[in-house]
Amino acid sequence: MGSIADAANKEVNGTASEKRPAVIFVLGGPGSGKGTQCAYIVDHFGYTHLSAGDLLRAEIKSGSENGTMIQNMIKEGKIVPSEVTIKLLQKAIQENGNDKFLIDGFPRNEENRAAFEKVTGIEPKFVLFFDCPEEEMERRLLGRNQGREDDNIETIRKRFKVFLESSLPVIQYYEAKGKVRKIHAAKPIEDVFQEVKAVFSPEAEKVEA
């Protein structure tokens, strides 16, 4: 009897693993408006929004040893090891019933990207890149005053530098594969979303078809 149950489980697991979730990477510098636009995409197109930053902050709040290590790295403006973030993302995907996800703020570098594809076996459908001038991002971050530890001018500038050095190669990699959808993010929120909608609408039609 056990063997029949095992066989059934194998069959279920096999089927589940064959159906990979649709993933879209959402990239842009700190303050480029990624989070706001992701909320709009969730409302309009039914995606689940996973923010790498939010998952890391939740881990820090949990008070785990992992969380303390993450906190120290963020304070120093460093990038958290790939496997830590990928495990948090994988867990969030597996525990969610949806099959389409926006992954916001990840991969942050080429190593993140390669590790994500290798560990999860998932390649993104495309990358949504919010292109925003540094002066505008700085103005937004200093103006939002959410009491976040990383919202002071020195840390903000460190984060810009890290983004430029680390994330642009990821964007270039996917650009070479024709998978980047660039959004001009310095405009007002509603105008930016009109651009975003133009990217997602054909995708939504395909899903419904």
Side-chain angles (χ1 to χ4, degrees):
M1 210 165 128
S3 61
I4 294 169
D6 290 346
N9 284 338
K10 246 185 219 171
E11 202 176 307
V12 169
N13 292 336
T15 314
S17 63
E18 280 158 30
K19 190 174 186 292
R20 298 203 188 285
V23 164
I24 290 164
F25 289 147
V26 183
L27 294 177
S32 59
K34 300 189 307 292
T36 301
Q37 294 299 324
C38 282
Y40 277 57
I41 296 163
V42 168
D43 285 348
H44 283 75
F45 300 107
Y47 278 74
T48 293
H49 175 211
L50 297 178
S51 159
D54 287 351
L55 289 171
L56 290 167
R57 280 187 283 275
E59 190 69 15
I60 290 167
K61 272 189 186 162
S62 76
S64 68
E65 195 180 321
N66 207 18
T68 306
M69 181 267 293
I70 293 166
Q71 187 172 31
N72 292 335
M73 294 196 83
I74 289 174
K75 262 188 198 164
E76 289 165 30
K78 290 182 184 169
I79 285 177
V80 175
S82 297
E83 62 273 16
V84 174
T85 311
I86 292 167
K87 274 179 195 164
L88 293 174
L89 286 166
Q90 217 177 3
K91 187 174 176 233
I93 288 171
Q94 285 162 357
E95 288 175 356
N96 191 292
N98 203 351
D99 63 350
K100 46 187 192 173
F101 296 88
L102 300 170
I103 295 185
D104 169 6
F106 188 91
R108 290 191 177 234
N109 57 26
E110 265 294 285
E111 194 259 334
N112 274 181
R113 179 201 65 71
F116 181 86
E117 289 187 11
K118 188 180 175 192
V119 171
T120 64
I122 297 166
E123 206 179 302
K125 284 172 79 175
F126 60 84
V127 174
L128 195 62
F129 171 41
F130 288 95
D131 194 14
C132 192
E134 195 171 310
E135 305 74 46
E136 174 62 16
M137 292 192 284
E138 193 175 294
R139 187 187 66 75
R140 289 176 183 178
L141 289 173
L142 291 171
R144 73 184 181 187
N145 193 21
Q146 289 177 355
R148 270 172 51 177
E149 232 172 64
D150 51 356
D151 277 355
N152 63 69
I153 194 73
E154 272 179 41
T155 312
I156 285 168
R157 286 188 176 152
K158 263 190 212 167
R159 288 164 70 206
F160 286 152
K161 191 167 179 282
V162 167
F163 174 73
L164 284 171
E165 289 171 0
S166 308
S167 298
L168 283 183
V170 176
I171 291 157
Q172 285 157 355
Y173 171 87
Y174 286 118
E175 213 156 26
K177 301 183 100 178
K179 285 192 164 199
V180 172
R181 310 287 181 268
K182 190 189 278 193
I183 303 293
H184 301 286
K187 297 180 290 189
I189 291 170
E190 285 299 334
D191 294 353
V192 174
F193 187 57
Q194 288 311 311
E195 253 194 80
V196 170
K197 269 207 293 203
V199 169
F200 276 85
S201 293
E203 293 297 329
E205 281 157 26
K206 278 181 209 166
V207 171
E208 285 164 16

